[in-house]
Amino acid sequence: MVFQPEDLLYSPEHDWVCIRGNMAYCGVAPFKLTGIRRIERICMPAIRVGDLVRKGEKILDLFYRDYRIPVYASLTGVLKEINPVLETGQWQQIINCPMGAGWIIRIAPIGINTRHLLQHTLYKGRFL
């Protein structure tokens, strides 16, 4: 699965969300991964499918050497799926394809509010 840039909305923390029908995929923007060659470990809080994830809540930390890259939920919703690459240790997918196979979680949004998010053209103009 690959998400088209124009379908993405970006948070001020450089995380993205793609809303597809009644589901939303969340991931890390490539800008946030600048200079990260590989992910050496991941620290994910004890969240499970069915849990409520709140906008701005940290969903995991990525680690590379001394760098800690926090990843936040861009919307509030019920957690429907954690990307299997996180559980199987195929973390390089997050680096290689952050807007595709490297998505982090899929949620069912509650009360979608995207006013705090940037459209791709605005984000691109500022950070890419």
Side-chain angles (χ1 to χ4, degrees), residues 12-112:
E13 295 80 27
H14 306 287
D15 300 307
W16 61 261
V17 63
C18 180
I19 301 167
R20 290 199 169 160
N22 62 352
M23 288 293 144
Y25 291 83
C26 301
V28 184
F31 180 82
K32 191 173 191 172
L33 299 170
T34 301
I36 306 302
R37 293 198 172 111
R38 70 179 179 280
I39 297 170
E40 295 173 344
R41 68 183 172 99
I42 288 178
C43 182
M44 191 168 194
I47 58 173
R48 292 183 224 160
V49 170
D51 287 352
L52 180 66
V53 176
R54 297 188 194 299
K55 176 186 81 166
E57 179 181 346
K58 186 169 27 171
I59 51 178
L60 62 81
D61 285 310
L62 306 172
F63 292 90
Y64 170 65
R65 296 186 179 175
D66 292 335
Y67 299 103
R68 178 181 63 84
I69 302 103
V71 180
Y72 302 95
S74 297
L75 296 174
T76 297
V78 176
L79 181 64
K80 293 297 184 179
E81 183 179 11
I82 298 170
N83 190 338
V85 304
L86 299 176
E87 297 168 348
T88 60
Q90 299 173 22
W91 306 331
Q92 202 59 28
Q93 290 292 341
I94 297 168
I95 302 288
N96 295 342
C97 193
M99 293 159 40
W103 59 272
I104 305 295
I105 61 171
R106 182 173 60 95
I107 63 171
I110 297 172
I112 298 174

Side-chain angles (χ1 to χ4, degrees), residues 103-122:
W103 59 272
I104 305 295
I105 61 171
R106 182 173 60 95
I107 63 171
I110 297 172
I112 298 174
N113 178 355
T114 60
R115 285 178 286 181
H116 65 290
L117 301 172
L118 290 175
Q119 300 257 339
H120 179 72
T121 52
L122 292 172

